[in-house]
Amino acid sequence: MWKFIIIMTGFVCLFSTAKGQYFQDFNESKTDFAENNMPGWATRTGDGEITFNQRFTGNSVVLKIDPQKDIQNIWYAFMHRDISASIDIDQLLTPEYELRMEARVKISHGPKRINMYLSELGNGGYLREFDIPEAEKWHTISMVTERFQPRKGKPLMTQISLMDWGISSIYTLEVDYIKVDLVNKNQAHPAFGLPLIYRPPIEASDAFDKVYVATKNVSLDSLWPDLNMNSLLNAEDSTKLLHLNTSGFTLLAWDFSSLSAHEIATVGSGQLEIYTHQISRLADSPKDFGELRICEIYGDMQDWDADSFCYNQFVGDNKLENKINTQTIIDTKMQAKKGAKTVVTISKPVMDRLLSGKTKGLAIMPLGYISASFYTNDFPDKAPVLRLHLAN
């Protein structure tokens, strides 16, 4: 979902050094930094219904989200400002120069992704996602733009965003500092974190080293928590199916035990592929409605018996949000035609967690109203598969 609407602010850059660099570490002892008042910065929300507050600690700024009214979990929030006064646009427009953005951040829940965005107001820009693996620890992230050519005389915006983290908790993103430098792209610059493209491209299926069929697949339904749903059959031909609806979702797991220790590090993203049996959705769905939401599974799946496993066994005395990451890896439309394949890219950080065992599998969740079914691993040519790259 493309969610980053840049809105004009009347603020000018207050904390900068020489032309070509913007820096703010939020360490100023300023009385005008107060609850929901960040001088020079604008804050915005969109799509979902949330409460967004900001707080200055004296050493950092804390962005606080209460999303509990956003039933669909499609919210986003960001802080941004115009940094034009700190950057030599004439030099930026020469072929040798780009912008480098760096920030130090801490998240309340993890792993979660945040975004950094550099843009010309109203004309798009350069956005990268960053997977922050751990909560309550400081992480430094950075990116360097590619062929970024904003128009002279237009506001140049720097932005940090968070989105879709969940709806069951109060979430915070703490920012220690932000800096944007004008850099020569032919020189080496410190790199922190892994900038991820949004939306990631779909690679050709034959570009991957390994293909793994899901060894376990099961559908669960919160409305029928004690029932095993793997006996769900297509009434016409008795085909066993995986299903998805407002209360139902599917879990997929893979066995990577055949990988040797030196192969486990991935060198790129992975690819999930599933095959449609049937899908029903509204003819005129609202934005981000009636799609698939792919998420990471945290709950242990080693002792599954697909023919007896049920929702209560999976969740137990816990909550679903503690078993499945409430932030999507990616959302996608499901192909409508019977037998058609739906393919999505699974990012490198998620693939690393899958291969290490920290993430136990992938969940296919509903985004908005949808009723769908797809084929199980009983069908070799239509089974859910995960493709991946291995280290050389």
Side-chain angles (χ1 to χ4, degrees), residues 173-389:
L173 168 63
E174 189 169 357
V175 183
D176 179 34
Y177 69 82
I178 297 173
K179 65 177 181 176
V180 181
D181 295 331
L182 186 64
V183 298
N184 189 313
K185 68 178 184 181
N186 299 314
Q187 297 175 352
H189 305 285
F192 302 101
L194 178 63
L196 301 171
I197 296 174
Y198 183 87
R199 296 183 58 103
I202 302 293
E203 292 188 67
S205 59
D206 58 4
F208 292 87
D209 302 314
K210 298 282 188 177
V211 181
Y212 286 85
V213 175
T215 51
K216 293 183 178 182
N217 49 204
V218 64
S219 296
L220 307 177
D221 198 309
S222 61
L223 287 181
W224 308 100
D226 294 317
L227 286 182
N228 172 258
M229 296 294 169
N230 263 24
S231 60
L232 180 70
L233 303 176
N234 177 43
E236 181 181 355
D237 58 11
S238 297
T239 300
K240 185 183 288 188
L241 302 171
L242 298 165
H243 75 96
L244 186 79
N245 57 37
T246 304
S247 59
F249 54 93
T250 288
L251 306 182
L252 304 173
W254 288 265
D255 180 4
F256 299 119
S257 60
S258 63
L259 294 178
S260 61
H262 71 276
E263 288 181 317
I264 279 205
T266 59
V267 295
S269 57
Q271 189 177 88
L272 173 68
E273 182 175 287
I274 60 173
Y275 285 81
T276 301
H277 183 269
Q278 175 276 332
I279 180 173
S280 299
R281 55 190 171 211
L282 298 178
D284 298 309
S285 289
K287 181 178 181 290
D288 302 329
F289 202 84
E291 298 185 3
L292 306 182
R293 173 157 276 185
I294 314 300
C295 302
E296 294 176 76
I297 300 172
Y298 300 143
D300 193 9
M301 298 160 59
Q302 296 302 314
D303 298 325
W304 276 17
D305 180 347
D307 292 325
S308 62
F309 200 62
C310 64
Y311 181 91
N312 274 347
Q313 285 178 276
F314 179 60
V315 176
D317 296 329
N318 219 310
K319 297 179 179 179
L320 184 60
E321 57 263 29
N322 294 327
K323 297 291 186 175
I324 295 177
N325 193 335
T326 51
Q327 185 183 36
T328 178
I329 301 167
I330 194 165
D331 298 332
T332 187
K333 294 185 182 300
M334 185 174 178
Q335 295 297 314
K337 186 176 179 181
K338 185 175 182 178
K341 59 185 177 182
T342 299
V343 182
V344 296
T345 297
I346 306 299
S347 71
K348 182 185 185 314
V350 175
M351 291 301 303
D352 288 340
R353 288 193 287 270
L354 278 166
L355 293 181
S356 71
K358 184 174 182 178
T359 290
K360 310 302 182 182
L362 300 177
I364 305 180
M365 312 288 290
L367 178 57
Y369 181 79
I370 187 172
S371 176
S373 59
F374 48 98
Y375 290 90
T376 71
N377 57 9
D378 292 331
F379 297 84
D381 59 337
K382 295 184 178 65
V385 300
L386 190 61
R387 301 186 178 94
L388 56 121
H389 297 288

Side-chain angles (χ1 to χ4, degrees), residues 125-138:
Y126 190 86
L127 180 147
R128 287 295 182 266
E129 291 194 312
F130 293 84
D131 185 291
I132 310 298
E134 294 178 282
E136 303 301 342
K137 291 186 177 181
W138 287 107

Side-chain angles (χ1 to χ4, degrees), residues 85-117:
S86 299
I87 302 295
D88 187 336
I89 301 298
D90 288 328
Q91 191 171 24
L92 175 58
L93 293 176
T94 62
E96 294 83 9
Y97 282 85
E98 297 285 351
L99 291 179
R100 178 183 180 276
M101 182 175 176
E102 179 180 314
R104 188 168 182 256
V105 298
K106 182 164 59 174
I107 58 176
S108 60
H109 298 66
K112 300 292 184 189
R113 294 187 317 282
I114 66 171
N115 293 345
M116 296 201 304
Y117 191 31

